[in-house]
Structures are given as structure tokens and as C-alpha cells.
Amino acid sequence: PAAPGHAAHAAPVPPAVAEPTTPLGAAFAAYERGDLTAATAALARGEGTILNLDYVYYLRGSIALLQGDAAAARAAFAQLAAMPS
């Protein structure tokens, strides 16, 4: 209880984490949660509209590795490596 004449101080409330509004943001959020199916679906939703292809290739390769698909991972990372710097 607060002392008479003094307001009780509440613990600070952390800000709410906003849901990503872009397919790439949603893909990364799902990947970080470990939801590889949702991450793959978010990338598919953004197909042709995501401008940051380096992130797309990296994320596809990482997802493929975690799913045990070495060939798909290799292909995605090869696309990433072929991008101009």
C-alpha cells in the first residue's frame, strides 16, 4: 500500500509488440518463433513483391537447412551468393 498522500507506483508495462505488416517481416517473425511452415507461407505471399531479395534467399536457405533439405538450402544460398554486392 502507498503511504498516505502518495500514489502507488505501478511497474512499467513493456510496449506491445506489433505484428509485422509485410510478408518479409511476417516470415522473419515466424522463423524466429520456430514456425517454419508459416515462414514459408509468408515468403510465398510476398513472392514478386519483396524488394530485399538477399533476405528472401537467406531465409529460404535457413528454413531449408532446418527442414533437412540440403539441396534447397544450397540453391537458395547460391542465389544469395550470386547477388551483386
Side-chain angles (χ1 to χ4, degrees), residues 37-61:
T37 301
T40 301
L43 285 176
R45 280 194 311 277
E47 190 75 35
T49 64
I50 298 173
L51 300 179
N52 306 51
L53 292 178
D54 51 344
Y55 288 107
V56 171
Y57 300 146
Y58 168 79
L59 195 52
R60 282 184 182 155

Side-chain angles (χ1 to χ4, degrees), residues 17-52:
V17 177
E19 286 297 315
T21 58
T22 65
L24 185 57
F28 266 104
Y31 174 79
E32 289 178 349
R33 287 192 314 270
D35 188 347
L36 304 181
T37 301
T40 301
L43 285 176
R45 280 194 311 277
E47 190 75 35
T49 64
I50 298 173
L51 300 179
N52 306 51

Side-chain angles (χ1 to χ4, degrees), residues 52-82:
N52 306 51
L53 292 178
D54 51 344
Y55 288 107
V56 171
Y57 300 146
Y58 168 79
L59 195 52
R60 282 184 182 155
S62 298
I63 291 168
L65 279 176
L66 290 171
Q67 292 175 329
D69 188 345
R74 187 176 302 110
F77 290 133
Q79 288 178 296
L80 177 60

